[in-house]
Amino acid sequence: MTARHTRRRFLGIAASLGGMALLPPWSARAAGTAGPGLHIWRGVALGADACLQLHHSDPAEAERLIRLCLDEVGRLERLFSLYRPDSLLVRLNRTGELADPPQDMVRLLSEAVRFSRLTDGAFDITVQPLWQLYAEHFARPGAHPAGPPPAAVEAVRSLIDYRALRVEEDWVSFNRHGMAATLNGIAQGYITDRVADRLRAEGMTNVLVDMGEVLAVGGHPDERPWRVGLRGQDDDLPNAEVLEIADAAVATSSCLATRFDVAGRFGHIFNPATGRSANETLSVTVTATNATAADALSTALTVMSADRAAALLDEIPNITMRVLSQDIGQTPT
């Protein structure tokens, strides 16, 4: 594969990007400290590996701040998780409505609708029925390798429409029976931003937060940028590229990061316009000023054509994108 430079802020790179990995001291496995005053926590948030690095001279205060952040993560997971039966999102999908939703739910759903409008529907949290259709199809013994029948896909696609999601300060609801939402393409970024906000409010200025997406508050305590490695799909391969960031966020989306079928033809990111997996692009990495935007846009840009993606990026300040296409013989313009 060869690197390809195309339009402004649109870059093809010479490796498969399966996700992000922070370079040392991130590569250490156990929680602890790395360097004077740098405290590291590792765990899981919204089902993904998570990590928090903060610089503080007082270990007890650093531990208090980490507990504060974990409490915030737990609170937000109870709102946004698809996998907790008691979450508010699960209740919305089950009942089709929420009365007096908490501010964070209204805020995140409003952001999701805003990004849907910005991307002409390429980002759409109401694709959850498609995920359910594909998951149920491939869970059956002897499932057809071509995926669900076209008629079934079209029937479910009629439920996919962010414009049928009503979001108000005191009410959230779906306008069509059978609709459901997933926040997996934006919630990790949102949680990352909220954790960073809590730490800023505590006066922290040298922090790296990764709750599924990465956000740097300030720079590294060694007076350099934080380093984020974009790793290949094979975790044993070296990093494809290293980004240096300060006061910026990075998110990567890859359709094949989660696959429904053994052959890997069907991944978890769907094109709402077709109802099919968005497999043309292997991965998209977005750098933005906040993790919510980076998360949502990396998802949307995975679905969009090269021309549409380049045009969108020309409209949004402070956004960069790195993309790897399945068809390396075609260069975006």
Side-chain angles (χ1 to χ4, degrees):
M1 298 182 183
T2 57
R4 294 166 300 164
H5 297 263
T6 59
R7 293 185 60 173
R8 178 170 63 90
R9 295 183 283 125
F10 195 97
L11 172 68
I13 65 174
S16 299
L17 305 182
M20 293 177 294
L22 300 181
L23 299 186
W26 184 275
S27 56
R29 301 296 293 182
T33 61
L38 184 60
H39 301 265
I40 303 176
W41 169 88
R42 293 181 180 83
V44 175
L46 280 179
D49 291 339
C51 184
L52 176 64
Q53 299 189 52
L54 59 88
H55 183 261
H56 204 290
S57 59
D58 183 348
E61 178 64 6
E63 183 177 349
R64 182 189 73 84
L65 292 171
I66 289 172
R67 287 199 304 269
L68 182 73
C69 293
L70 297 185
D71 288 344
E72 180 73 348
V73 171
R75 182 183 72 85
L76 294 172
E77 278 193 321
R78 288 190 290 274
L79 301 182
F80 305 143
S81 174
L82 269 177
Y83 307 105
R84 295 182 54 136
D86 60 342
S87 80
L88 204 61
L89 178 61
V90 169
R91 191 204 308 173
L92 172 63
N93 287 344
R94 183 177 65 250
T95 65
E97 60 186 21
L98 294 175
D100 298 318
Q103 183 180 11
D104 280 294
M105 178 62 84
V106 173
R107 184 178 179 182
L108 182 53
L109 292 177
S110 297
E111 280 290 276
V113 171
R114 183 174 74 87
F115 282 109
S116 293
R117 291 171 178 157
L118 187 65
T119 62
D120 295 325
F123 179 83
D124 192 329
I125 63 171
T126 67
V127 295
Q128 179 61 12
L130 281 171
W131 195 98
Q132 295 169 330
L133 175 68
Y134 280 82
E136 291 170 2
H137 172 84
F138 284 107
R140 299 187 189 103
H144 197 291
V153 172
E154 282 302 304
V156 168
R157 199 168 68 84
S158 67
L159 301 173
I160 313 305
D161 189 350
Y162 71 91
R163 293 163 296 189
L165 171 63
R166 174 184 171 189
V167 182
E168 299 178 5
E169 288 296 324
D170 61 349
W171 187 261
V172 172
S173 63
F174 298 122
N175 291 342
R176 301 174 193 168
H177 178 71
M179 291 184 67
T182 171
L183 296 173
N184 288 351
I186 192 171
Q188 290 174 335
Y190 183 87
I191 291 176
T192 297
D193 284 335
R194 298 291 72 77
V195 169
D197 286 345
R198 295 298 299 268
L199 291 171
R200 289 190 187 99
E202 295 284 337
M204 300 301 294
T205 56
N206 300 107
V207 176
L208 194 67
V209 181
D210 177 5
M211 297 298 145
E213 314 302 346
V214 178
L215 174 66
V217 177
H220 191 279
D222 290 345
E223 298 184 350
R224 59 170 174 80
W226 295 95
R227 293 186 295 165
V228 179
L230 306 181
R231 65 174 179 260
Q233 290 184 348
D234 183 345
D235 288 342
D236 294 331
L237 295 177
N239 291 291
E241 186 178 2
V242 177
L243 305 181
E244 293 190 340
I245 61 171
D247 291 315
V250 182
T252 291
S253 292
S254 174
C255 184
L256 298 183
T258 300
R259 308 178 186 190
F260 293 103
D261 60 323
V262 175
R265 296 176 58 196
F266 297 93
H268 72 297
I269 298 178
F270 296 99
N271 185 338
T274 65
R276 294 291 179 180
S277 295
N279 291 341
E280 291 79 10
T281 300
L282 286 177
S283 65
V284 173
T285 296
V286 169
T287 304
T289 55
N290 64 82
T292 305
D295 196 3
L297 289 173
S298 66
T299 302
L301 292 166
T302 302
V303 173
M304 298 170 73
S305 68
D307 287 342
R308 287 183 65 204
L312 176 64
L313 293 182
D314 283 338
E315 299 174 4
I316 308 175
N318 303 315
I319 299 289
T320 64
M321 180 174 77
R322 289 158 175 81
V323 64
L324 179 70
S325 174
Q326 289 273 27
D327 185 353
I328 63 174
Q330 295 182 0
T331 303
T333 59

